[in-house]
Amino acid sequence: DTGVSQNPRHKITKRGQNVTFRCDPISEHNRLYWYRQTLGQGPEFLTYFQNEAQLEKSRLLSDRFSAERPKGSFSTLEIQRTEQGDSAMYLCASSTRQGVLNEQYFGPGTRLTVT
Amino acid sequence: QKEVEQNSGPLSVPEGAIASLNCTYSDRGSQSFFWYRQYSGKSPELIMFIYSNGDKEDGRFTAQLNKASQYVSLLIRDSQPSDSATYLCAVPINSNSGYALNFGKGTSLLVTP
C-alpha cells in the first residue's frame, strides 16, 4: 500500500453514461498525476496537478474528460458520454519531489468497463 | 514524444538465476530512468530509479545505465517465483508535465520453480 487511494476500484457503465473517479494522494504530496493503462500497454499520461492548479493536459484528454483538484488534496476525473474505447485502468499517482528525480507512487487504480 | 522501448517477452528464467531486463530510449537528453514492477491486475510499484552512468544496487535489484548507448537495464539476482510480473521502464516527459512519466510497454518476466 503506497498511501494513495482510489475509488471506486471497479466501475461498469453503459455507453453514454457519465462516470467520476476519485483519487486521494499521500497527504504531503503536492503533485498529482492521472494516467490511463490499457491491456498490454504501459500507463499513458493524462493530466498533472500541482496543488490545486491543473498545469498540463495530454492530447489523450479529450473534451469529454475533465479533472479537478479543488483544494489541492483529493482529485476527481470525470468522463462524460463514455465510449467503449474508454475502457481501461485509470491510475492516479502522487509525488513531492521536483525535477527529474520525481518518484511517483501509484494508487491501486480504477478499472472502467464500458458496455 | 520520447520513445521508450522494451521487449515484451515473456522472459523466462529458472528460480535462482539472474533476470536481465532491458530498455532503450530515444531522447539523448533524458536524465533519469525509473523501473516499476506491475503484477497482473495491480498498479505499478516503484522499484528504483537511476540517473548516473553505471550501476545502482538495491537489495537483489541492480539498475545499469549507459547514456552513450541510450539503454538502461534492470538485473534481478536470485530470481524468485514472486518476481514474476511485468517490469516497466519509464522516462520523465518534461517540466511542463511536472515530469510525468513516459512508460514503455513493459517486459513480462516468468520465474519458474
Side-chain angles (χ1 to χ4, degrees):
Chain A
D1 183 359
T2 62
V4 180
S5 62
Q6 291 187 247
N7 288 288
R9 297 290 300 276
H10 303 273
K11 179 70 177 179
I12 299 174
T13 191
K14 293 184 177 181
R15 183 165 51 98
Q17 298 294 304
N18 299 343
V19 294
T20 300
F21 311 140
R22 175 176 170 131
C23 170
D24 287 87
I26 296 170
S27 59
E28 65 268 27
H29 284 191
N30 61 340
R31 294 166 177 248
L32 186 148
Y33 307 81
W34 285 97
Y35 293 83
R36 181 178 71 185
Q37 187 176 25
T38 54
L39 197 62
Q41 303 295 316
E44 297 173 291
F45 168 64
L46 292 177
T47 190
Y48 156 61
F49 288 86
Q50 184 170 330
N51 299 311
E52 67 276 8
Q54 187 176 20
L55 298 183
E56 184 76 349
K57 294 189 275 189
S58 84
R59 59 177 173 76
L60 294 177
L61 210 67
S62 76
D63 291 345
R64 296 184 298 105
F65 288 69
S66 62
E68 294 182 338
R69 194 182 182 195
K71 297 182 180 179
S73 56
F74 73 92
S75 176
T76 58
L77 178 67
E78 180 182 16
I79 309 174
Q80 296 183 327
R81 305 180 304 280
T82 52
E83 302 173 355
Q84 287 189 323
D86 297 331
S87 295
M89 174 80 90
Y90 289 84
L91 295 161
C92 173
S94 71
S95 73
T96 187
R97 295 183 72 171
Q98 298 185 31
V100 296
L101 302 183
N102 180 15
E103 301 169 64
Q104 296 177 34
Y105 297 91
F106 283 84
T110 295
R111 183 169 297 283
L112 173 66
T113 302
V114 182
T115 62
Chain B
Q1 177 78 344
K2 301 177 181 180
E3 298 297 327
V4 179
E5 300 289 339
Q6 296 182 260
N7 187 322
S8 61
L11 174 66
S12 182
V13 300
E15 183 175 358
I18 296 175
S20 177
L21 303 154
N22 299 315
C23 171
T24 59
Y25 58 95
S26 63
D27 184 356
R28 189 171 289 277
S30 295
Q31 298 180 59
S32 60
F33 308 86
F34 293 77
W35 283 102
Y36 283 80
R37 176 175 64 194
Q38 187 172 29
Y39 292 111
S40 181
K42 303 296 185 181
S43 62
E45 173 190 4
L46 180 63
I47 300 173
M48 63 192 304
F49 66 87
I50 187 168
Y51 58 91
S52 297
N53 268 333
D55 295 0
K56 179 181 178 183
E57 186 174 318
D58 185 357
R60 295 187 297 113
F61 298 98
T62 299
Q64 299 178 318
L65 175 59
N66 184 324
K67 290 186 177 180
S69 300
Q70 294 179 239
Y71 83 78
V72 57
S73 60
L74 181 70
L75 303 180
I76 307 174
R77 289 184 300 281
D78 188 24
S79 295
Q80 302 297 309
S82 59
D83 294 326
S84 298
T86 295
Y87 289 80
L88 298 162
C89 174
V91 175
I93 296 172
N94 55 37
S95 59
N96 290 343
S97 69
Y99 299 100
L101 296 172
N102 183 29
F103 286 85
K105 293 183 178 182
T107 297
S108 175
L109 174 66
L110 178 63
V111 180
T112 56

